[in-house]
């Protein structure tokens, strides 16, 4: 079976560089999709309290029969639960829904700098407690801008192991990635194929034709060669398999540069800007 590279984190642990994302997978389809991904060879699942499918991820893991310790499981704190008591209660619920006694990685999903009086530091300190308890083996953040990470560095002593941010050829998010590289924070790239928006690109299409792979595979390979951790989502069996089949070819430096050159800056975002995003679910 294909062996997926791992990325070393700043807490001494290693995360599989390719995983499977379950955002926007209906709860009733999630157990099947998770199991299919695990049977394909994925050993890393990325879910979130907000996705409403942690329970079904847990079912898929159990159904697969694969040993718990062989699977990396990430979930994320929902936006309404940043206060310590809410974070603790919701984290207990996540473990209970997943049917696990620990997760491999727990993230603050969004910094919400205009909510909670801009205080995500208290929330981060709560995640540090989860890590000390051994219930979150690694802890990190998502959608944090360099200024948010500077604030954590100034006010706490634990550096996030990862920052999960939007990255794909149309939004290369180079400043946030460079900050992570400089400070030992691994980059997890969400929406790695921009939810499909990069797949009809002519530049990627020409490279795909030359190397005999699909545009999705070329784009995922670009992430891998950049050192990003990725977890493409699909509920389509052939795509789940194709997205895993990206370790038998290599892009040249010119190919990488060509994809880098597709960046549209802020216009390339598919999701919200973390500096202004303030959504708290009902
Ligand atoms: N932290 C955050 O704020 C945040 C935000 C967004 C996403 N994420 C994480 O990142 C993961 C991935 O991002 P995403 O789900 O937004 O988008 P994505 O993985 O970039 O794209 C998923 C879309 O592309 C299609 N697709 C997948 N593989 C394909 C292929 N080989 N060929 C053609 N189409 C393909 C899927 O369709 P089908 O499913 O119909 O096949 C789906 O519509 C999420 O599942 C989640 O875990 C995190």
């Amino acid at each position: 079976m294909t062996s997926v590279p791992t990325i070393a984190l700043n807490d001494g642990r290693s995360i599989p560089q390719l995983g499977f994302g379950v955002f926007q997978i209906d709860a009733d389809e999630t157990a099947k999709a998770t199991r299919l991904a695990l049977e394909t060879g994925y050993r890393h699942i990325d879910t979130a309290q907000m996705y409403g499918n942690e329970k079904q991820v847990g079912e898929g893991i159990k159904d697969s029969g694969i040993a718990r310790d062989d699977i990396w499981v990430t979930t994320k704190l929902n936006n309404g639960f940043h206060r310590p008591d809410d974070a603790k209660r919701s984290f207990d619920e996540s473990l209970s829904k997943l049917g696990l006694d620990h997760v491999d990685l727990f993230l603050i999903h969004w910094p919400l700098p205009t909510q909670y009086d801009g205080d995500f530091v208290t929330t981060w300190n709560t995640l540090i407690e989860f890590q000390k308890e051994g219930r979150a083996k690694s802890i990190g953040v998502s959608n944090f801008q360099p200024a948010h990470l500077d604030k954590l560095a100034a006010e706490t002593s634990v550096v996030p192991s990862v920052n999960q941010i939007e990255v794909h050829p149309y939004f290369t998010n180079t400043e946030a990635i460079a900050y992570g590289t400089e400070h030992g924070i691994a980059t997890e790239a969400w929406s790695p194929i921009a939810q499909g928006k990069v797949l009809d690109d002519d530049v990627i299409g020409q490279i795909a034709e030359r190397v005999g792979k699909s545009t999705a595979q070329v784009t995922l390979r670009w992430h891998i060669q950049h050192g990003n951790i990725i977890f493409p989502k699909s509920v389509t069996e052939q795509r789940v398999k194709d997205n895993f089949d990206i370790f038998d070819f290599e892009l040249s430096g010119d190919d990488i540069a060509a994809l880098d050159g597709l960046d549209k800056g802020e216009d390339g975002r598919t999701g919200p800007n973390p500096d202004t995003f303030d959504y708290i679910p009902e």
Side-chain angles (χ1 to χ4, degrees):
M1 189 178 276
T2 307
S3 132
V4 171
T6 56
I7 297 287
L9 302 181
N10 62 16
D11 58 10
R13 303 183 73 235
S14 293
I15 182 170
Q17 194 180 3
L18 174 65
F20 182 69
V22 298
F23 177 43
Q24 292 176 328
I25 302 188
D26 289 344
D28 59 5
E29 276 189 88
T30 303
K32 187 171 160 236
T34 301
R35 185 178 173 162
L36 171 65
L38 292 169
E39 284 169 357
T40 303
Y42 296 78
R43 291 291 180 271
H44 166 179
I45 309 290
D46 185 271
T47 184
Q49 293 174 350
M50 203 188 288
Y51 305 166
N53 55 17
E54 289 171 307
K55 182 168 177 281
Q56 292 76 13
V57 165
E59 285 167 13
I61 290 172
K62 205 161 165 233
D63 293 349
S64 76
I66 294 165
R68 161 68 184 102
D69 287 351
D70 292 342
I71 305 170
W72 182 283
V73 181
T74 298
T75 193
K76 316 183 191 85
L77 181 71
N78 210 341
N79 291 353
F81 302 145
H82 276 212
R83 292 194 181 88
D85 285 352
D86 295 327
K88 286 175 191 164
R89 194 185 53 247
S90 76
F91 184 61
D92 288 349
E93 278 173 19
S94 283
L95 292 180
S96 158
K97 285 181 181 162
L98 287 160
L100 303 176
D101 63 3
H102 70 273
V103 288
D104 294 281
L105 178 61
F106 193 56
L107 306 179
I108 300 178
H109 205 148
W110 288 90
L112 305 175
T114 64
Q115 298 278 13
Y116 302 102
D117 298 322
D119 177 18
F120 43 76
V121 173
T122 302
T123 314
W124 180 241
N125 280 322
T126 310
L127 266 67
I128 293 172
E129 284 181 37
F130 299 155
Q131 187 178 36
K132 283 189 182 141
E133 293 162 0
R135 298 193 301 150
K137 299 284 179 195
S138 295
I139 52 173
V141 294
S142 178
N143 298 303
F144 273 48
Q145 304 277 48
H148 306 141
L149 295 166
D150 272 340
K151 192 167 170 184
L152 292 189
E155 299 185 34
T156 78
S157 56
V158 178
V159 179
S161 60
V162 309
N163 188 17
Q164 184 178 126
I165 52 178
E166 179 173 354
V167 185
H168 46 73
Y170 288 169
F171 184 62
T172 55
N173 213 344
T174 42
E175 268 181 46
I177 295 179
Y179 184 102
T181 306
E182 195 185 328
H183 294 87
I185 303 169
T187 295
E188 295 196 326
W190 62 251
S191 294
I193 56 171
Q195 298 197 335
K197 291 184 188 66
V198 300
L199 300 182
D200 293 328
D201 188 276
D202 286 343
V203 170
I204 305 177
Q206 282 162 22
I207 296 170
E209 206 172 304
R210 199 185 71 242
V211 300
K213 289 282 183 178
S214 71
T215 51
Q217 289 169 318
V218 166
T219 306
L220 296 173
R221 183 72 209 175
W222 170 82
H223 282 284
I224 294 290
Q225 289 185 220
H226 267 305
N228 300 336
I229 299 157
I230 47 170
F231 21 81
K233 169 264 178 186
S234 178
V235 291
T236 312
E237 183 164 354
Q238 191 56 50
R239 292 173 176 176
V240 173
K241 292 182 173 153
D242 290 348
N243 294 347
F244 194 72
D245 181 21
I246 56 170
F247 298 104
D248 62 350
F249 73 109
E250 198 144 335
L251 298 174
S252 68
D254 285 350
D255 294 338
I256 299 280
L259 267 74
D260 290 345
L262 299 174
D263 183 33
K264 301 174 197 274
E266 283 295 317
D267 290 346
R269 281 191 193 273
T270 63
N273 185 319
D275 286 321
T276 50
F277 188 60
D278 60 1
Y279 170 70
I280 294 193
E282 289 292 301

